[in-house]
Amino acid sequence: MIRIEAGRRFPVSVRDGFDYITDPRNWLAYWPRATTVDPESRWQRPGDRARIVLRLAGRRVALDMRLVRIDPYRLVEYTSRQSGLPAARHRRRFEDRDGELDYHIVVEYDPRPGWRGLIDRSIVRRATERAVRETLANLDGAFSARRRPSG
């Protein structure tokens, strides 16, 4: 199994961070290479589904997600499927650290058999690591901008 994990602390409360991150209306603001979020996407209860279209290597690729578990202000777990890639399991942890959000992303997937598994262990792994880093950087920018005084 391939496991990618990264985290970062953000200058927002767990409640504000959770509400922002789990709201599909905000996903285009921080999700790397996302171009559209299906307006029918729901993301509140186990079984809810969401669909995002990403621009990858010059192509538009749909990412279909199913919410498995949601423990408000603590944990979100979901699965994803994307054409040409292995199915993945995702976990998002939200913890309070001195009034700030300590946020962790975990992505796991089983490499496919044969030559595709070589791609999954190298190219797919690096692309997933990059997407996780970019997500955290984009969230850092979004949360920092929200805390700056206007004027």
Side-chain angles (χ1 to χ4, degrees):
M1 174 180 301
I2 303 293
R3 179 183 173 96
I4 294 139
E5 182 170 5
R8 188 169 295 175
R9 194 164 164 173
F10 297 113
V12 296
S13 69
V14 169
R15 179 172 291 275
D16 287 347
F18 182 92
D19 290 345
Y20 181 85
I21 289 168
T22 61
D23 186 341
R25 294 174 297 188
N26 297 325
W27 291 352
L28 292 179
Y30 71 84
W31 203 301
R33 290 169 287 293
T35 61
T36 59
V37 175
D38 185 327
E40 299 299 315
S41 294
R42 299 289 174 259
W43 208 248
Q44 296 178 338
R45 293 177 190 83
D48 282 357
R49 295 187 179 273
R51 180 181 175 107
I52 296 178
V53 175
L54 306 169
R55 186 157 224 37
L56 300 174
R59 301 178 330 156
R60 293 171 50 91
V61 180
L63 177 67
D64 293 306
M65 304 178 302
R66 185 179 63 82
L67 190 57
V68 173
R69 181 177 173 198
I70 187 164
D71 184 359
Y73 310 111
R74 295 187 58 200
L75 179 70
V76 173
E77 293 179 350
Y78 65 97
T79 59
S80 69
R81 297 201 178 281
Q82 193 172 346
S83 179
L85 295 175
R89 295 169 295 285
H90 305 259
R91 189 173 310 111
R92 306 294 187 260
R93 290 192 325 261
F94 302 78
E95 297 178 17
D96 178 75
R97 294 284 184 255
D98 300 320
E100 294 187 327
L101 171 61
D102 190 18
Y103 180 62
H104 288 268
I105 297 173
V106 177
V107 181
E108 298 174 326
Y109 63 91
D110 293 315
R112 296 168 290 179
W115 64 269
R116 288 186 175 115
L118 297 174
I119 293 169
D120 297 342
R121 288 179 185 87
S122 58
I123 296 168
V124 173
R125 180 183 194 131
R126 285 193 303 273
T128 303
E129 289 168 342
R130 183 177 62 242
V132 167
R133 283 192 311 270
E134 289 175 5
T135 298
L136 293 171
N138 292 345
L139 285 169
D140 191 41
F143 292 141
S144 294
R146 292 174 73 187
R147 299 230 24 199
R148 281 187 214 119
S150 59

